[in-house]
Amino acid sequence: MQDLPPNPLLAHLPDPSELSETERDYLDMIAAAPLLTLGARRDLLRDGETLRTCHVIVQGWACRYKTLEDGRRQITAFVLPGDLCDLYPPLLAEMDHSLATITAIRYIELPRDRVEQLVVAPAIGRALWRDMLVTMAIQREWTVSIGQRDALERLAHMLCELFFRLRAAGLVRDDRCEFPLTQTDLAEATGMTPVHVNRMVQELRSRGLIYWKGRVLEMLDLPGLCRAGLFNPTYLHQSADPRLA
């Protein structure tokens, strides 16, 4: 797993320079909490479970998902390093979906009272609201993909989104990133079968847009992949991030 900056909470904020000294000290205190670990392909939170803490992933990948009674699973979001998994313990009594690891993860647990204090702190509160709005924008794009984009567009759009998010987190080097998803994961996120995902991956490869082998994804032609997926990154609201220049 790749490392993040020492304080993942600060790295997660759009502009840490906006923080007051008190807010920065408070975040440093929270980020100094013990790191917990969980292995790959394990549930961190289950549908219906009572919410008591908020989790911040420091390293590794996770996903949100819903399961039907017959066992079919739909992945509704990918959670990347630095992401807040569940900011709503003070507001909601229980989980309405499950959260599972994709890789082994290291994470921090924040008690309910600390979450409440984070939300009301002016600069931190604005950043968290912004993060929630971006999360909602991502969900809207997933809905558009499921409803309107064809299979190739859907997969290309998903790969672009994940790449842009990883790049914003500082987890891309020379257009390459760690990519631990399986074709089954992508199928469960895009509403396709694994066989159909495989066909679309081969098509993207044949067009010279991506290289994907094992756990490494390389963008050979990112503008071309964006065109193939009808991808416009404005909904991620990353324009202020100098790492995207």
Side-chain angles (χ1 to χ4, degrees), residues 9-10 12-16 18-28 30 84 87 110 114-132:
L9 292 173
L10 288 177
H12 185 69
L13 296 172
D15 186 1
E18 295 181 0
L19 297 172
S20 67
E21 184 176 351
T22 299
E23 289 172 317
R24 185 179 290 271
D25 289 345
Y26 187 72
L27 285 178
D28 284 339
I30 291 176
L84 293 161
L87 189 60
L110 302 181
R114 296 247 175 117
V115 175
E116 291 174 336
Q117 293 174 18
L118 280 174
V119 172
V120 300
I124 298 173
R126 288 194 300 272
L128 295 178
W129 272 111
R130 181 185 182 281
D131 179 74
M132 185 177 296

Side-chain angles (χ1 to χ4, degrees), residues 6-242:
N7 190 330
L9 292 173
L10 288 177
H12 185 69
L13 296 172
D15 186 1
S17 65
E18 295 181 0
L19 297 172
S20 67
E21 184 176 351
T22 299
E23 289 172 317
R24 185 179 290 271
D25 289 345
Y26 187 72
L27 285 178
D28 284 339
M29 179 183 65
I30 291 176
L35 283 176
L36 304 174
T37 61
L38 186 64
R41 306 291 170 176
R42 301 280 300 278
D43 281 335
L44 179 62
L45 295 166
R46 291 187 175 89
D47 198 343
E49 184 174 336
T50 301
L51 286 166
R52 296 184 177 87
T53 59
C54 174
H55 302 79
V56 181
I57 292 185
V58 177
Q59 291 179 307
W61 289 45
C63 68
R64 304 181 191 277
Y65 72 91
K66 295 282 290 186
T67 304
L68 300 181
E69 291 182 359
D70 61 5
R72 285 176 292 166
R73 187 173 84 152
Q74 177 71 40
I75 291 177
T76 61
F78 289 113
V79 184
L80 304 181
D83 285 349
L84 293 161
C85 300
D86 40 17
L87 189 60
Y88 33 76
L91 302 176
L92 301 178
E94 64 181 38
M95 289 287 289
D96 57 20
H97 62 279
S98 297
L99 182 71
T101 62
I102 292 172
T103 66
I105 66 168
R106 300 172 72 191
Y107 65 98
I108 296 169
E109 283 190 348
L110 302 181
R112 181 188 297 257
D113 60 338
R114 296 247 175 117
V115 175
E116 291 174 336
Q117 293 174 18
L118 280 174
V119 172
V120 300
I124 298 173
R126 288 194 300 272
L128 295 178
W129 272 111
R130 181 185 182 281
D131 179 74
M132 185 177 296
L133 292 172
V134 172
T135 298
M136 293 169 63
I138 290 173
Q139 202 67 65
R140 284 192 291 271
E141 285 294 326
W142 282 40
T143 300
V144 172
S145 284
I146 294 291
Q148 297 298 328
R149 292 185 177 99
D150 65 28
L152 188 70
E153 293 166 348
R154 203 179 302 175
L155 180 61
H157 193 279
M158 177 69 69
L159 295 179
C160 288
E161 177 184 291
L162 290 171
F163 186 81
F164 272 67
R165 290 175 62 194
L166 289 166
R167 191 166 67 174
L171 298 175
V172 170
R173 297 289 183 273
D174 300 324
D175 291 328
R176 294 185 180 184
C177 60
E178 180 181 2
F179 198 75
L181 300 182
T182 67
Q183 292 184 5
T184 297
D185 294 328
L186 289 171
E188 292 178 343
T190 59
M192 295 188 279
T193 66
V195 171
H196 204 175
V197 168
N198 181 266
R199 293 193 187 109
M200 297 304 101
V201 169
Q202 298 307 320
E203 177 64 22
L204 294 175
R205 283 173 172 161
S206 69
R207 295 188 186 187
L209 301 178
I210 65 169
Y211 171 84
W212 180 17
K213 185 174 183 180
R215 294 167 63 95
V216 175
L217 175 67
E218 181 178 0
M219 295 300 178
L220 301 178
D221 181 0
L222 183 57
L225 188 67
C226 290
R227 289 192 295 271
L230 308 179
F231 179 79
N232 183 334
T234 55
Y235 70 97
L236 296 174
H237 300 281
Q238 295 177 340
S239 58
D241 191 332

